[in-house]
């Protein structure tokens, strides 16, 4: 019962915190790994992920202003989850996991 009351407030902050942390790690990894100077492909990949974050941020801003209907909340969650998964894939690529 307590979890059902707490989950609607916890889930958005969890997604935003996870996204912020994974984006910071991805941006730092793009410039530092595997060696200096950074590869242009890594920087481009991180730049594209950052642009996705900007569009998600605009959607969140519009949702909080009330310009979007509540049904768009699930779409925002999906976009945030997709960006987090992109950050994980980018970090695996930057660190050359699986070679």
């Amino acid at each position: 019962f307590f979890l059902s009351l707490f989950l609607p407030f916890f889930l958005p902050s969890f997604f935003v915190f996870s996204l912020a942390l994974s984006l910071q790690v991805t941006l730092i990894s793009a410039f530092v790994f595997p060696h200096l100077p950074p590869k242009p492909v890594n920087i481009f990949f991180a730049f594209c992920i950052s642009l996705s974050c900007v569009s998600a941020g605009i959607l969140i801003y519009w949702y909080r202003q009330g310009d979007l209907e509540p049904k768009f909340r699930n779409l925002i969650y999906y976009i945030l989850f997709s960006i987090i998964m992109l950050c994980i894939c980018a970090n695996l690529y930057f660190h050359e996991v699986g070679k």
Side-chain angles (χ1 to χ4, degrees):
F1 175 73
F2 178 73
L3 186 61
S4 65
L5 293 176
F6 187 65
L7 191 60
F9 300 107
F10 175 71
L11 195 59
S13 61
F14 173 74
F15 271 126
V16 171
F17 176 74
S18 299
L19 178 65
L21 182 65
S22 62
L23 183 65
Q24 288 176 358
V25 169
T26 302
L27 290 175
I28 292 170
S29 295
F31 285 97
V32 175
F33 290 103
H35 58 283
L36 290 174
K39 293 180 181 178
V41 173
N42 294 358
I43 295 172
F44 180 72
F45 199 8
F47 179 71
C48 291
I49 293 173
S50 301
L51 289 179
S52 299
C53 290
V54 170
S55 64
I58 291 171
L59 279 176
I60 291 170
Y61 175 75
W62 287 343
Y63 180 77
R64 288 187 179 175
Q65 294 296 317
D67 293 339
L68 293 178
E69 295 181 20
K71 64 182 176 183
F72 283 98
R73 184 181 64 194
N74 290 334
L75 176 66
I76 293 171
Y77 289 156
Y78 171 75
I79 292 171
L80 293 178
F81 180 74
S82 298
I83 293 172
I84 291 170
M85 297 309 291
L86 271 173
C87 288
I88 291 171
C89 290
N91 283 316
L92 290 174
Y93 175 74
F94 296 159
H95 296 281
E96 298 175 351
V97 175
K99 282 192 174 183

